[in-house]
Amino acid sequence: MKVKRFNFRFLISNLDIYPFIVVFLISFKNPEPKKVFWRIFIYFIGLCLGYYGYTSIISFYQAFAYKDLIYLSNIILDLADLLGYSFIGVLAGIWGYVMVKHKDKQYLYHVMLLPFILISIYDLYSNFTCNPPQLFMMIVDILGLIGIIICSLNKKI
C-alpha cells in the first residue's frame, strides 16, 4: 500500500492558517481597536457567507436535481455552522480589540498572543502525529508560526 505523505487535500479545508491570519489582522498597519474588531469580524463573515453560501447552493441544486428533499437538511446544518463560526469571529474580534486597546501594556499583549502560538503548535503536532504525517500542512503550520512571531515583533503596534 502506497502511503501519501504529500497530500494537498487539507490545504484548503484546514483551519491551521487562521491563527496567523487573525494575528496579521490585529497587527497590520497600526490599527485602532474598533478597526481591528471589524477587520476580523468581516473576515470571518466573508469566509462563512462564501463557503456556506456555496455549499447551501449545492445542496439546493441537489435537492431538485435528484428530487430528494433530504439534501435541504444540509442547509440547516450550514446555517448552524455559519452561526457558530460567526460567533467565533465575534470572539476573535473582541480578543483583537482588547489586544490593541491595551497595546501599551506589552506584557499583556504578548500573553494574549500566546493562545495563537499554542494553537499553531498543537496543529503542527497533530499533523506530525497523524498517520501518515501531513507534510504540507506541517509546512503551513511552521510558516504560520513564523508569521505570528514576525507580526508579534511588529514595533508599530
Side-chain angles (χ1 to χ4, degrees):
M1 176 168 80
K2 186 175 180 178
V3 176
K4 286 186 149 189
R5 294 191 186 275
F6 297 102
N7 194 341
F8 289 102
R9 70 187 175 115
F10 293 115
L11 284 177
I12 294 173
S13 65
N14 203 305
L15 305 176
D16 292 12
I17 194 81
Y18 287 174
F20 163 69
I21 291 173
V22 171
V23 170
F24 177 76
L25 292 172
I26 290 169
S27 64
F28 182 69
K29 286 194 176 180
N30 197 15
E32 58 191 47
K34 285 182 186 177
K35 191 172 187 177
V36 167
F37 171 81
W38 286 110
R39 265 186 203 168
I40 295 170
F41 180 68
I42 290 170
Y43 173 76
F44 273 87
I45 292 298
L47 281 175
C48 289
L49 290 177
Y51 178 75
Y52 293 114
Y54 168 76
T55 57
S56 292
I57 289 170
I58 295 296
S59 295
F60 188 74
Y61 169 77
Q62 288 173 331
F64 289 101
Y66 299 119
K67 295 178 179 44
D68 190 355
L69 295 179
I70 194 72
Y71 288 106
L72 293 179
S73 65
N74 291 337
I75 295 173
I76 303 288
L77 297 173
D78 287 347
L79 181 62
D81 285 347
L82 173 101
L83 292 174
Y85 282 113
S86 296
F87 182 69
I88 290 171
V90 168
L91 293 178
I94 291 170
W95 193 270
Y97 177 90
V98 171
M99 283 180 73
V100 174
K101 181 88 169 160
H102 299 290
K103 66 184 172 189
D104 297 334
K105 300 174 185 167
Q106 288 293 317
Y107 175 75
L108 178 62
Y109 177 80
H110 289 296
V111 166
M112 289 185 78
L113 274 174
L114 192 59
F116 297 106
I117 293 169
L118 293 175
I119 289 168
S120 295
I121 290 171
Y122 173 76
D123 289 339
L124 177 63
Y125 172 77
S126 63
N127 284 317
F128 179 74
T129 58
C130 69
N131 189 13
Q134 298 299 314
L135 296 179
F136 282 120
M137 287 313 302
M138 289 169 51
I139 292 168
V140 168
D141 295 336
I142 290 168
L143 292 175
L145 272 169
I146 291 168
I148 290 170
I149 291 167
I150 289 171
C151 287
S152 71
L153 298 175
N154 183 2
K155 297 297 180 192
K156 291 180 183 176
I157 193 94

